[in-house]
Amino acid sequence: MSQRILKVDLTNCDREPIHTPGSIQPHGVLLVCDVNDNLITAASANAAAFLGGQRNHVVGLTLADILGGDVAHNLRNAIARAGGSHLAGAELGVQLQSGQVVDASIHRHNDRIFVELEPTSQSRGEAKSALDLTQALVRRISKETEVEALAASGAKLVRALLGYDRVMVYRFLHNGAGKVIAEAKRHDLHSFMGQYFPASDIPDQARRLYLLNWIRLIADVSYEPVTMAPADGHGTLPDIDMSHAHLRSVSPIHCEYLRNMGVAASLSISIVVEGKLWGLIACHHNTPKLVPLPMRVSAELFAQYYSLQIAIAERRAEYLASAKARRRLDDIITSLDPAEPVDTGLVELLPALAELIACDGAALWLGDVWHTTGVAPGREAAAEITAFLKEHAQDAIWSTEDLRTLLGSGKGYGERVAGLLAIPISGQSGDFLIYFRSEEAHKIEWAGEPVKQVVEGPQGPRLTPRGSFETWREDVRWRSTPWTDPEFAVAEATRTYLRDVILRFKEATADERSRADRRRRLLNDELNHRVKNIIALVKSLALQTGSSSSTVDDYSRALEGRLSALAFAHDQSLGGEGGTLATLVDAEASLHRFGATNERVVTSGPPIGLDDRAFGVMALLLHEMMTNAAKYGSLSVPEGTLHISWTRDQDGHCVIDWIESGGPAVTTPEKTGFGSTLIDNTIAYDLGGKADLQYAPGGVRARFSIPAIHVREVAPSTRAADRPLPLQRRVLAGKDVVLVEDQALIAMDIEDVLRKLGALSVRAFPNIADALAGIVASEPHCAVLDLNLAGETSAEIADALLARSVPFIFATGYRDAVMIPERFRHIPVVRKPLSERELAEQLAAVLMLSR
């Protein structure tokens, strides 16, 4: 008649099929129905007495036949609300046809419907009280953010809710054993706080059931099980999986275990974090205690919320540890010198990396070379350790607190070096950052000696659960303190960070080689182009000067002057950005300002810049004009003067007036030489401008007009080339810098300067779209923006950086701030060509302000 039951003792308790016990606890009734026709296929032996009839009147009938149509309907609705899953629905205060009032729970599992009936807990008032208590518990537990505080509060609150003599929060450890981390108890009871329980106390199949069914009640550990019977009342009952049943009978070994502890009743509440059994809230009572169904439902709701809070607290602790590690890593990696190989830099930083996780020493295995700091194995052990890690850790973080068991004691493992935490820091090369801990000899307090006892009984010797739970201390040797979850979070952050750094350095090295090759090709091409142009220009100057010179001395002086003017123009416009008109005028005028004649050349005009083309043309033109004035005009006599002034007209053109006076009488030359031809034609031919030259008797007068396309405003200079640099040169150490510049050569020069200032990476973009995409992909620490980008401005990029609070500066060849939009007038501006000193000062200033 009864279900097959395995005879259980401690030799096979880890294989006991506790989910199919074939019996229930006696404080209720279990009915098992077919899911299709609702016929009762099995019932507990106490069903007839509980329901007021004969058992053969129960099995084979429907729920409606024995419970009444309304009750059966409500129970079917309850299981429907559970969504067809194994989750139980509950109906409280249900009145049966017999007039008896019961609390009912119903669930579905393996094509069977399970109906459990218990004497009513007196009412819906108690249900409301349970709900109110649960809400109060949830509000109180919400105030805690640390696991330790949650454990302490949880024990106190569950004891207040359920009224047990002792409530313990029991956490499972990595090795399967458990530790009591919080306890709330009656004052006269012995404490288990801080004590360990061996993994064998809760076998694997019991842990699986705790995951399936969060509440496990034993109302009386000395109960007599009530068997289940099949429909025909004969034969063997097929195995019925009662994993989700509240009334499921428990292992007799466990009941004996509890009696040995002096416990008469218990309730276990599962703590499940991320799908794994994290621990239990274990409730013990010294006398039998039946917790009503409403209170058990409330306890399960609390357990679900409590588990969520435990998960949040652990993730919070891991996040805080990881965030702190990343901040420290930022500071550590910032000191890496981008000019050095990354391996060299990491070895130098090993002592700082060792401080990220509590340890006694650390090692780096890089490129098959062993580097250590603090307490760590010597080089002779490196090959053995790293070979083991490559086989077992592979590409994952790996740890042990018992290196002696894994590698033996031959090299002193277990004392000086007992524990290890290995972090793979490169994908395929097998490099590791390894933390070591020394032995921490200590005592573990067990709740009783964790061994099975052999006793003599009527059937001979047999194993029993331990009979004493008095504190039993075990000496632990050769092991380190365990590595914690927050430390694993730090290890993961370190692995990700170091891999990114190594990859970035390797990419930067490859990119630098590629950039150097490209820069060399560009420079060669540019140099070839410029040399050809200069040779052609010098050839033309030599031929034309020779054709208009009467003597070798005249030829030599004229050619030398013109070549000097050309060289000056080239020097001033180096970088392709031209220069200022005042620079050209003052350079030529300075040759004729000396002694008492310092004011014989008077110049005036607003700051005006010329582009590269106009600057070169005007350098030659002004040189020719000055040479003629010195040879034939006002500068050929001491009393002569020259006034040069310039302005911009309403169309933006630059107008230059040249007025000589006090010199010899002027007549129009009979023939035109190369110099005159150069003056008349170059400004018109090369620039599309105008030259009006008049030979008035009182002195030569000329007006030159340079089209606006070659003219630009000049901002007051903020350059600090003559001031000492109070800053360290590596103001960008470890920083990722975005550079926006549309001229390739200029971008390369600026990039070189930024790297000299310590930049870890420089990402150069030639246009707005690429720059915006780069900033979105990876936010930089700071940026340098060319204001003018091939007809566009970098204003859109500047807006994006401001929105992200990324500091930046403008780099421009414009000499006046009028070209900078009003909203950016507070942004520092450096002038091209850039100096390392000025760039360092301005970037240091904006980085300081952004902190």
Side-chain angles (χ1 to χ4, degrees), residues 12-20 86 109 172 199 201-216 241-245 248 270-272 275-280:
N12 65 359
C13 64
D14 58 342
R15 302 189 305 275
E16 180 185 3
I18 58 177
H19 63 299
T20 58
H86 60 261
H109 183 55
F172 292 115
D201 278 7
I202 305 178
D204 288 342
Q205 73 271 36
R207 298 179 192 229
R208 288 193 294 270
L209 281 182
Y210 281 125
L211 277 173
L212 296 173
N213 194 341
W214 286 37
I215 300 292
R216 200 283 318 273
D241 187 345
M242 300 184 189
S243 295
H244 304 282
R248 173 179 56 83
S270 301
I271 305 172
V272 180
K276 298 179 180 179
L277 189 63
W278 184 93
L280 296 172

Side-chain angles (χ1 to χ4, degrees), residues 540-740:
S540 176
L541 286 174
L543 290 173
Q544 296 295 333
T545 301
S547 66
S548 61
S549 300
S550 57
T551 67
V552 173
D553 288 341
D554 287 344
Y555 173 77
S556 177
R557 284 193 298 271
L559 183 59
E560 182 181 0
R562 286 165 179 164
L563 290 178
S564 296
L566 181 64
F568 173 76
H570 176 75
D571 288 342
Q572 293 299 309
S573 62
L574 191 61
E577 294 293 328
T580 64
L581 179 57
T583 302
L584 281 176
V585 174
D586 288 342
E588 286 292 340
S590 64
L591 299 175
H592 306 279
R593 289 172 173 164
F594 48 85
T597 62
N598 189 45
E599 297 301 324
R600 65 191 312 213
V601 181
V602 179
T603 62
S604 63
I608 290 179
L610 303 177
D611 66 12
D612 186 37
R613 190 177 186 85
F615 196 85
V617 168
M618 291 306 298
L620 288 173
L621 185 147
L622 288 171
H623 175 71
E624 293 302 323
M625 291 292 294
M626 283 288 186
T627 299
N628 288 341
K631 290 171 65 177
Y632 314 113
S634 62
L635 299 183
S636 65
V637 295
E639 61 271 18
T641 60
L642 169 62
H643 290 265
I644 305 173
S645 62
W646 59 89
T647 187
R648 296 189 72 173
D649 64 18
Q650 60 184 6
D651 296 321
H653 305 320
C654 176
V655 179
I656 304 171
D657 287 317
W658 180 285
I659 302 174
E660 296 183 29
S661 60
V666 176
T667 59
T668 303
E670 295 180 359
K671 63 177 183 177
T672 303
F674 170 66
S676 299
T677 302
L678 186 149
I679 294 169
D680 289 336
N681 294 339
T682 54
I683 194 167
Y685 184 82
D686 290 339
L687 304 181
K690 297 177 181 179
D692 181 15
L693 191 61
Q694 299 177 4
Y695 297 95
V700 172
R701 292 174 177 265
R703 172 166 284 191
F704 306 105
S705 178
I706 304 172
I709 191 173
H710 299 293
V711 180
R712 62 177 182 237
E713 295 288 343
V714 177
S717 176
T718 61
R719 294 179 62 180
D722 297 326
R723 296 197 303 270
L725 182 63
L727 305 166
Q728 296 181 359
R729 291 190 62 195
R730 298 181 56 76
V731 295
L732 298 179
K735 298 290 190 294
D736 174 29
V737 184
V738 160
L739 169 63
V740 182

Side-chain angles (χ1 to χ4, degrees), residues 238-276:
D239 287 346
I240 298 176
D241 187 345
M242 300 184 189
S243 295
H244 304 282
H246 290 278
L247 293 171
R248 173 179 56 83
S249 193
V250 298
S251 168
I253 296 294
H254 184 63
C255 289
E256 184 177 356
Y257 174 93
L258 291 173
R259 287 194 295 270
N260 289 346
M261 289 185 73
V263 174
S266 75
L267 178 73
S268 298
I269 303 172
S270 301
I271 305 172
V272 180
V273 174
E274 296 181 355
K276 298 179 180 179

Side-chain angles (χ1 to χ4, degrees), residues 334-354:
T334 294
S335 59
L336 276 176
D337 186 348
E340 289 184 349
V342 66
D343 290 4
T344 302
L346 289 177
V347 170
E348 293 175 352
L349 294 174
L350 181 57
L353 293 171

Side-chain angles (χ1 to χ4, degrees), residues 129-130 133-134 137 156-164 269 295 298-299 302:
S129 174
L133 280 171
T134 303
L137 264 61
K156 294 176 182 177
L157 293 174
V158 170
R159 184 165 187 252
L161 174 68
L162 302 179
Y164 278 87
I269 303 172
M295 297 300 290
S298 294
F302 174 77

Side-chain angles (χ1 to χ4, degrees), residues 482-529:
W483 307 94
T484 65
D485 288 340
E487 286 169 341
F488 283 117
V490 172
E492 183 59 42
T494 303
R495 178 177 75 153
T496 302
Y497 203 105
L498 292 184
R499 283 190 169 188
D500 287 347
V501 169
I502 292 172
L503 179 61
R504 192 186 310 164
F505 265 81
K506 289 182 177 178
E507 289 177 345
T509 302
D511 288 346
E512 183 60 33
R513 285 196 296 267
S514 176
R515 278 194 299 270
D517 290 340
R518 188 169 66 251
R519 185 183 297 116
R520 187 163 48 250
R521 289 193 299 269
L522 286 171
L523 288 174
N524 286 338
D525 291 344
E526 179 70 13
L527 181 61
N528 185 48
H529 172 73

